[in-house]
Amino acid sequence: MITVNAQGITLGIESFGDDNAPLVLLAGGTTMLSWPDALCERLAAGGRHVVRYDLRDSGKSTTRDPQAPAYTLRDLAADAAALADTLGRGPAHLAGIGVGGMVAQVAVLDHPSAFSALTLVGTRPVAPGPPDDDLPDHDQATMSRLFARPLPDWADREAVAEFSAAGAEILGDDPVAARAIAARIWDRTPGTAPPVQMANQMGMVFSRLDCRPRWRERLPEIEVPTLVVHGRRNPFFPVGNGEAIARVIPGARLLVLEEAATAVPDGAADEVTEAMLTLG
């Protein structure tokens, strides 16, 4: 893992595969570890140069004040385009997961020449907050359980890992995998201040981010090949959100992972890799 400068911002990145191969850029949601190692390794084995990166205020990227971010969703989208340009491999296949999928949608709309393909995983076409009336909202019973839990001692690595594992079980994800990833995120987080840990572990910075103007109505403008991947059992962004995105992006393919929730399980890595590689 290294850092690079893009648009005057430090971004933490990790690379897989041949530097001279076509670039696949993975926007974290919010840290790069939202993207499983298995998927990155399989994409690299398929002849791609894979770069996953941390969004601002997470991991090794520029971290200032997650409680009062002095940037917008469109700045994060510009970061993706600037990073693709800095890496110098021509238009990139951009993929975003969760809130990183929001970044990816806006990036392809605002910077179309920077990207050759788009993959959106477990995301929705509107900003955090109440969704449009035709989009399914978070499953409220699941959210009540998830957010009723007391927060851990952010200075205690094991407590943070256990908190993440318990949350994954509520969401329908693999708690063993979530525990391991949370521990790795904790190791990469700059300090144990609660706002910084929450930005890394829970992506809470997005609740304070300016995501205006809306972009959903612009999705039909996307011209690059697009893959929409969504877990059938995702209670955070229910599958209807992915279906809505796939309906309006011209030619988009929808891949529903029947046994998945919010994360891409290792068991689905081959299927998702194959679908992504067909885009270019």
Side-chain angles (χ1 to χ4, degrees), residues 77 94 103-113 115 117-118 222-224:
L94 177 64
V103 174
Q105 291 170 68
V106 174
V108 170
L109 287 166
D110 285 1
H111 308 275
S113 64
F115 304 107
L118 174 65
I222 293 177
E223 297 180 348
V224 298

Side-chain angles (χ1 to χ4, degrees), residues 31-54:
T31 83
M32 66 171 69
L33 296 180
S34 307
W35 290 101
D37 297 348
L39 179 64
C40 297
E41 290 162 358
R42 284 165 173 75
L43 286 168
R48 301 296 186 269
H49 176 208
V50 180
V51 175
R52 61 182 177 183
Y53 76 99
D54 301 313

Side-chain angles (χ1 to χ4, degrees), residues 221-236:
E221 300 172 19
I222 293 177
E223 297 180 348
V224 298
T226 299
L227 171 69
V228 180
V229 180
H230 218 101
R232 176 74 70 188
R233 300 188 297 114
N234 188 333
F236 195 81

Side-chain angles (χ1 to χ4, degrees), residues 13 42 51 61 93 115 126 136 238 263 271:
I13 72 168
R42 284 165 173 75
V51 175
S61 293
H93 178 163
F115 304 107
V126 294
E271 184 178 12

Side-chain angles (χ1 to χ4, degrees), residues 162-244:
E162 175 57 30
F163 179 79
S164 181
E169 194 159 17
I170 292 170
L171 289 168
D173 294 320
D174 180 353
V176 175
R179 180 192 297 275
I181 291 169
R184 291 170 66 187
I185 291 173
W186 193 95
D187 291 339
R188 301 178 65 248
T189 299
T192 58
V196 177
Q197 281 286 344
M198 290 175 70
N200 278 260
Q201 297 285 349
M202 302 174 68
M204 296 302 289
V205 67
F206 261 78
S207 66
R208 300 177 175 87
L209 207 62
D210 180 355
C211 295
R212 297 168 296 178
R214 287 171 55 91
W215 71 88
R216 183 183 184 188
E217 290 74 17
R218 296 180 57 205
L219 291 178
E221 300 172 19
I222 293 177
E223 297 180 348
V224 298
T226 299
L227 171 69
V228 180
V229 180
H230 218 101
R232 176 74 70 188
R233 300 188 297 114
N234 188 333
F236 195 81
F237 293 142
V239 67
N241 289 280
E243 292 169 342

Side-chain angles (χ1 to χ4, degrees), residues 61-118:
S61 293
T62 294
T63 295
R64 293 189 176 127
D65 184 1
Q67 290 187 301
Y71 53 89
T72 70
L73 177 64
R74 281 181 160 70
D75 291 322
L76 296 179
D79 289 348
L83 179 56
D85 181 65
T86 297
L87 294 171
R89 297 303 309 155
H93 178 163
L94 177 64
I97 186 168
V99 293
M102 300 175 188
V103 174
Q105 291 170 68
V106 174
V108 170
L109 287 166
D110 285 1
H111 308 275
S113 64
F115 304 107
S116 59
L118 174 65

Side-chain angles (χ1 to χ4, degrees), residues 3-26:
T3 60
V4 299
N5 187 281
Q7 202 182 214
I9 296 297
T10 296
L11 296 175
I13 72 168
E14 183 177 22
S15 298
F16 300 77
D18 183 355
D19 288 352
N20 294 315
L23 175 63
V24 178
L25 188 62
L26 306 178

